[in-house]
């Protein structure tokens, strides 16, 4: 079984991006800039944002974090986004989720200029992705896609099962696999027989949030299994896939941690650079 090393893949991607930033700097005399807006003092969000800033600096991006207290008014955040939209030194804008209850998440997402939407959550980018046009692609599914392509460059005709239909993971993952000519089944909490669906799959992407949901006897021999889940349990962090059982059947499997997670931030940097490149045309 191939243990898909997300840390290594992310380090390789960051090294490529670092070179690309250096080339862009010498060509345009400026570097892509990422601005993150962080609202409130949730510890996981603070950790994510710190990691994003560190990785952005490592590849040579200009990075900035704008912090607001939990009590900030929605209007203040929307005005800041407008300011960043028209700031030429800002290539990508990310508002760290979740937001406090009094701030409308969709309003905030839609306020970001789609050409700077490095999360790929703006309806314009969602629509472009599903229409097969160029767009920002949500970072986690993009990371999964790159990991799958490393194992199997030609996905045409493969059967893929995506478990979970969130806007963040399942839906964009489905679009990426469709684009590669996979036959894709998207499953969710109302799916009648999830095991039977998974048993058909050459590729399984699990993004559910239920610890070890996908069991060993759900997986066809030689399937590629990507585990997006991050679940805190009494036994530490586990994924949505039962690692020990599935590793006996699968051709390739991502561990948790150290699989999909590290690719997510590397893909955010990639999206920032891609936004910059599109803005220079
Ligand atoms: P979500 O809660 O928004 O969506 C979960 C999906 O799972 C829903 O579509 C639901 O229909 C489906 N589902 C629920 N119960 C099911 C069942 N019994 N059978 C089949 N489908 C079922 O979750 P999300 O935001 O997509 O996150 C999923 C997991 O991925 C979480 O553990 C989250 O922490 C993790 N995550 C990881 C990363 C990363 O970088 N690795 C990024 C984002 C999210």
């Amino acid at each position: 079984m191939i243990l898909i090393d997300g840390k290594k893949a992310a380090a390789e991607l960051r090294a490529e991006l670092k070179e690309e930033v250096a080339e862009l700097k010498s060509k345009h005399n400026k570097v892509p800039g990422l601005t993150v807006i962080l609202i409130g003092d949730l510890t996981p969000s603070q950790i994510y944002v710190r990691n994003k800033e560190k990785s952005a600096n490592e590849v040579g991006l200009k990075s900035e974090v704008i912090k607001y207290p939990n009590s900030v008014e929605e209007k203040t955040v929307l005005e800041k986004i407008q300011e960043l939209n028209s700031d030429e030194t800002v290539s990508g804008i990310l508002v760290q989720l979740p937001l406090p209850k009094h701030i409308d998440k969709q309003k905030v997402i839609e306020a970001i200029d789609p050409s700077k939407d490095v999360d790929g959550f703006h309806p314009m980018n969602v629509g472009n992705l599903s229409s097969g046009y160029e767009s920002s692609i949500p970072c986690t599914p993009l990371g999964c896609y790159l990991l799958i392509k490393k194992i199997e460059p030609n996905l045409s005709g493969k059967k893929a099962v995506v478990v979970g239909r969130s806007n963040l993971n399942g839906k964009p993952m489905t679009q990426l696999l469709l684009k590669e000519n996979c036959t894709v089944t998207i499953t969710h909490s109302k799916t009648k027989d999830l095991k039977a669906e998974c048993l058909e799959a050459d590729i399984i992407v699990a993004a559910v949030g239920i610890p070890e949901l996908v069991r060993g006897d759900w997986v066809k021999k030689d399937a590629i299994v990507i585990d997006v889940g991050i679940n805190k349990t009494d036994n530490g962090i586990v994924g949505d896939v039962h690692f020990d059982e599935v590793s006996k059947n699968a051709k390739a499997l991502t561990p948790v941690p150290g699989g999909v997670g590290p690719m997510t931030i590397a893909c955010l940097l990639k999206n920032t650079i891609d936004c910059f490149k599109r803005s220079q045309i």
Side-chain angles (χ1 to χ4, degrees):
M1 206 254 330
I2 303 168
L3 184 65
I4 303 174
D5 187 344
K7 268 194 195 161
K8 184 164 168 254
E12 285 166 6
L13 179 56
R14 284 197 305 274
E16 282 169 28
L17 296 174
K18 191 173 178 176
E19 272 183 30
E20 201 173 356
V21 171
E23 280 167 25
L24 289 169
K25 189 176 179 182
S26 63
K27 188 170 170 198
H28 299 285
N29 206 22
K30 54 187 172 183
V31 294
L34 172 66
T35 298
V36 176
I37 296 180
L38 174 63
I39 302 169
D41 49 13
L42 270 182
T43 313
S45 295
Q46 286 174 331
I47 295 171
Y48 289 142
V49 169
R50 209 179 307 135
N51 289 340
K52 284 168 185 173
E53 196 180 19
K54 189 171 151 254
S55 302
N57 288 331
E58 195 186 306
V59 303
L61 299 182
K62 177 178 157 292
S63 107
E64 178 193 25
V65 179
I66 297 170
K67 291 182 184 165
Y68 290 113
N70 217 42
S71 58
V72 67
E73 279 187 44
E74 181 183 275
K75 188 169 153 278
T76 308
V77 178
L78 293 175
E79 280 170 4
K80 177 51 80 178
I81 292 173
Q82 290 312 330
E83 192 187 311
L84 297 170
N85 282 343
S86 43
D87 183 339
E88 277 187 16
T89 67
V90 176
S91 323
I93 304 166
L94 180 149
V95 181
Q96 182 65 43
L97 302 177
L99 297 175
K101 284 206 167 52
H102 66 280
I103 298 184
D104 182 338
K105 180 176 95 175
Q106 200 55 23
K107 241 190 203 173
V108 166
I109 289 173
E110 290 182 25
I112 298 172
D113 182 331
S115 69
K116 298 190 177 189
D117 166 36
V118 279
D119 258 339
F121 295 161
H122 192 288
M124 180 93 91
N125 281 317
V126 176
N128 279 341
L129 176 62
S130 69
S131 305
Y133 301 138
E134 196 165 58
S135 66
S136 280
I137 298 165
C139 304
T140 302
L142 177 58
C144 295
Y145 165 81
L146 295 175
L147 292 176
I148 296 168
K149 289 282 280 183
K150 265 185 188 282
I151 302 295
E152 183 59 70
N154 182 7
L155 300 177
S156 185
K158 301 276 181 207
K159 284 197 173 177
V161 169
V162 177
V163 190
R165 58 174 161 186
S166 69
N167 290 341
L168 179 67
N169 290 308
K171 284 183 194 157
M173 192 68 237
T174 299
Q175 296 299 344
L176 289 169
L177 292 165
L178 259 183
K179 238 176 147 175
E180 289 290 320
N181 299 316
C182 289
T183 302
V184 191
T185 302
I186 182 158
T187 63
H188 45 78
S189 56
K190 302 285 185 287
T191 296
K192 286 256 158 54
D193 190 346
L194 190 57
K195 176 179 173 182
E197 299 294 348
C198 288
L199 272 169
E200 295 285 313
D202 302 309
I203 300 159
I204 298 174
V205 180
V208 190
I210 300 180
E212 300 177 328
L213 175 74
V214 177
R215 306 302 298 242
D217 61 353
W218 292 25
V219 176
K220 199 164 83 171
K221 242 198 156 15
D222 288 341
I224 299 172
V225 182
I226 305 293
D227 189 352
V228 180
I230 303 177
N231 306 296
K232 267 193 196 161
T233 71
D234 293 342
N235 300 323
I237 304 272
V238 300
D240 292 342
V241 174
H242 196 297
F243 185 86
D244 290 344
E245 290 182 8
V246 171
S247 60
K248 295 195 173 78
N249 273 350
K251 169 166 132 186
L253 172 63
T254 56
V256 176
V260 172
M263 283 299 278
T264 297
I265 292 185
C267 287
L268 170 68
L269 310 178
K270 176 173 162 44
N271 279 350
T272 306
I273 294 166
D274 288 344
C275 285
F276 174 85
K277 288 197 299 197
R278 287 196 286 268
S279 74
Q280 300 303 307
I281 294 168

